[in-house]
Amino acid sequence: MAFREKVAAYVKEMFTFRTKAFTEPRFWDTDLMNLPFVAGGISDQEKIENDFEGYVSSMYKANGPVFACIDARMKVFSEGEFIFRDRKNKGNYFGGTGLGVLETPWPGGTTGELLARMEQDASLAGNSYWAMCDDSGRIGKAAAGKGLRLTRLRPDWITIVISSSDASNNDPFAADCKVIGYLYSTQLSGMAHSNGFGQANDILLLPDEVCHYSPIPDPVARFRGMSWLTPVLREVSADSKSTIHKESFLKNAAVPNMAIKFSPETSKDDFDEFVAKFKGSHQGAWNAYKTLFLLGGADVTPLSMDFRQLEFSQTVGKGESRIAAAAGVPPSWVGLSEGLQGSGLNQSMYAAARRRFADGTIRPLWRIAAASMQNIVITPNDQSQLWYDDSQVAFLREDQTDLAEINRIQANAIDSFIKSGFKPDAAVQAVLTRDLRVLTGQHTGLVSVQMQPPVDPNAPKAIAPPPANPGSGPNGN
């Protein structure tokens, strides 16, 4: 029996009898379900659903700071390109036919769109899955016909299947556990797989047929990634409630809530009539700051403070900064209030924030994405690896100036080594690898600036020839 059939039989048995004993739970099947704002059933509270679509609808599509952070990551991340490089000579970059599917991942698609999708899935689900397919409906290694392209496997419909050498012990945390397959089923739809393996739309892919991009590992799982939104769910929930608070403030007269007291002799009809007229002329943002006129016996008492007294902007700003910190995005680059004041607008600080975003967030993501995608891309040879090319990214243009300065310093170092008598190739390797031991045994023996052999003091001195007789010319004169 082929390995694929063995894995399929194992998975079918596992889903039928063991109820997912050897699968990793999705990232939302964790203790987050016990958080009050996640599992609470109070209808007037903002609730983040514990599934992928809930993350999308309740955060990405409904929360400004979350969308801004993901969009900032996605815009810069999607500017990168893929390229091959030599494993030994890291500075040797080259192209190849294997890059074609990455340059046009699907009809009309681009590398930027591919990277943007990978970033969206990684931010919202912690994982992004891709596989090859063709027009014949074949997926994975079998896809080799017309219309070969990449296809996105929705992360909440993927189950990572794990096994160990002793599968009978029913322990998904065994030390030698490994991934034996990825089960893709649209029947999951973000819910537990309850009908067992073997649905009409189920697809079982082997590990070497899937690109699994998970930049943030989940510490409680072996192979699954974690969304950067998970640690700041409370901040996102609080920010959403702050937005609702602000909306309610503007909707309800755009002034602090108040209580109006009446004389005990006021009838119910008079009271109802007054309330109706008051709401009609004073409630709502369009009626803000109108003069309030009251009949005899009515007394107004404010019940709350205004935004300034509540320090509303500072409270909201701190929460936005915590969200941006989890995203690895400087607040100044997404226009958050905390980043648009004080030293955050200083040119040097602004440049430092850009560099931190590029070096600490985007470049590591590119490196992980390239390593993940290499699993399903054909490389030119065993000595080449898929890498990223950021030379055309406008966001990193200032880095090119720094790179030019670094190249100038390195060129001067190479020139100094060569003039000191070391072989040129050895000098280049010593500078690139930052290892002076490369120069051992690579000296030419030439020490002068003019690269002339040194003078041996024991060598006999050359005798200068006598001057020519001016009277002995060709005519004998």
Side-chain angles (χ1 to χ4, degrees):
M1 183 184 296
F3 180 68
R4 180 183 296 275
E5 283 69 26
K6 291 181 179 179
V7 174
Y10 171 79
V11 173
K12 183 174 182 180
E13 177 188 1
M14 177 189 64
F15 272 88
T16 304
F17 301 107
R18 301 186 186 178
T19 63
K20 296 177 64 176
F22 270 82
T23 61
E24 287 194 345
R26 291 150 296 172
F27 76 100
W28 49 79
D29 292 337
T30 64
D31 290 339
L32 294 173
M33 297 179 64
N34 298 322
L35 295 178
F37 67 90
V38 172
I42 303 177
S43 60
D44 61 348
Q45 291 185 356
E46 185 80 7
K47 185 175 68 170
I48 296 178
E49 301 293 340
N50 55 340
D51 59 16
F52 176 64
E53 292 186 359
Y55 270 55
V56 173
S57 60
S58 298
M59 290 196 284
Y60 185 64
K61 293 184 177 182
N63 186 274
V66 169
F67 173 81
C69 289
I70 295 179
D71 187 62
R73 288 165 54 107
M74 184 174 62
K75 290 292 176 58
V76 181
F77 186 67
S78 63
E79 286 291 298
E81 297 179 348
F82 290 106
I83 197 169
F84 290 119
R85 77 170 184 177
D86 192 278
R87 290 182 182 273
K88 293 184 177 179
N89 184 6
K90 302 294 186 180
N92 183 18
Y93 301 96
F94 52 92
T97 57
L99 297 176
V101 72
L102 301 178
E103 295 170 350
T104 308
W106 54 83
T110 64
T111 303
E113 291 176 290
L114 169 63
L115 291 173
R117 281 288 192 173
M118 293 176 70
E119 162 56 26
Q120 278 187 332
D121 285 348
S123 287
L124 296 169
N127 304 270
S128 184
Y129 303 95
W130 297 82
M132 294 288 189
C133 71
D134 59 19
D135 289 345
S136 299
R138 292 171 293 192
I139 309 293
K141 296 287 187 181
K146 182 181 178 181
L148 185 65
R149 60 192 182 274
L150 282 172
T151 183
R152 169 181 174 258
L153 306 176
R154 189 166 138 166
D156 58 331
W157 293 347
I158 285 284
T159 300
I160 303 175
V161 185
I162 308 168
S163 180
S164 64
S165 57
D166 184 12
S168 61
N169 63 15
N170 199 30
D171 181 11
F173 300 103
D176 63 339
C177 273
K178 65 178 182 179
V179 176
I180 63 170
Y182 294 88
L183 180 63
Y184 177 72
S185 174
T186 57
Q187 301 299 318
L188 288 173
S189 302
M191 306 298 292
H193 198 299
S194 58
N195 296 326
F197 172 66
Q199 302 297 311
N201 295 326
D202 285 355
I203 300 174
L204 180 63
L205 297 171
L206 299 183
D208 61 351
E209 296 179 303
V210 176
C211 162
H212 181 193
Y213 172 59
S214 53
I216 303 179
D218 191 328
V220 299
R222 297 282 290 275
F223 308 103
R224 184 191 64 215
M226 182 186 77
S227 167
W228 63 262
L229 287 166
T230 301
V232 289
L233 285 177
R234 286 188 173 89
E235 279 74 13
V236 175
S237 178
D239 185 83
S240 298
K241 290 183 175 66
S242 298
T243 302
I244 296 174
H245 177 84
K246 180 171 61 176
E247 181 183 10
S248 300
F249 178 87
L250 297 174
K251 183 178 180 180
N252 293 290
V255 294
N257 292 336
M258 60 182 66
I260 301 179
K261 296 181 289 186
F262 294 89
S263 170
E265 290 79 15
T266 304
S267 65
K268 184 179 184 305
D269 293 338
D270 292 339
F271 173 80
D272 293 340
E273 181 181 359
F274 178 87
V275 171
K277 290 182 178 180
F278 182 86
K279 288 184 177 181
S281 59
H282 291 281
Q283 193 173 46
W286 294 106
N287 294 316
Y289 309 113
K290 285 186 176 181
T291 303
L292 180 63
F293 298 97
L294 301 175
L295 296 173
D299 181 23
V300 177
T301 303
L303 296 180
S304 63
M305 297 179 289
D306 59 23
F307 283 163
R308 185 174 182 179
Q309 292 170 309
L310 290 172
E311 296 185 346
F312 187 79
S313 60
Q314 294 187 22
T315 303
V316 173
K318 298 298 182 184
E320 291 175 347
S321 295
R322 289 167 67 91
I323 295 173
V329 181
S332 57
W333 280 99
V334 290
L336 300 181
S337 58
E338 287 288 304
L340 299 178
Q341 53 186 322
S343 61
L345 295 179
N346 182 277
Q347 184 176 0
S348 60
M349 293 293 292
Y350 203 66
R354 179 199 59 77
R355 173 160 294 181
R356 181 259 172 266
F357 182 41
D359 295 344
T361 301
I362 299 301
R363 284 195 172 97
L365 294 179
W366 276 329
R367 184 171 62 251
I368 298 172
S372 302
M373 193 59 71
Q374 182 174 332
N375 195 42
I376 58 174
V377 171
I378 299 176
T379 56
N381 52 64
D382 294 338
Q383 298 303 317
S384 56
Q385 66 179 154
L386 189 63
W387 199 245
Y388 66 91
D389 179 14
D390 60 0
S391 60
Q392 303 301 316
V393 180
F395 184 79
L396 306 178
R397 193 164 293 157
E398 293 183 15
D399 289 352
Q400 300 303 317
T401 304
D402 298 333
L403 182 60
E405 177 65 16
I406 293 173
N407 289 337
R408 184 188 67 81
I409 296 174
Q410 290 180 332
N412 289 338
I414 293 173
D415 181 65
S416 176
F417 286 139
I418 294 175
K419 288 180 178 180
S420 297
F422 292 98
K423 295 180 181 179
D425 290 344
V428 172
Q429 287 298 316
V431 171
L432 293 180
T433 60
R434 299 179 183 178
D435 186 3
L436 296 182
R437 291 174 296 182
V438 175
L439 299 175
T440 303
Q442 299 297 318
H443 201 277
T444 62
L446 305 177
V447 296
S448 68
V449 176
Q450 292 79 17
M451 302 298 290
Q452 298 296 325
V455 177
D456 186 357
N458 299 320
K461 295 182 179 181
I463 301 175
N469 187 354
S472 58
N475 297 327
N477 299 324

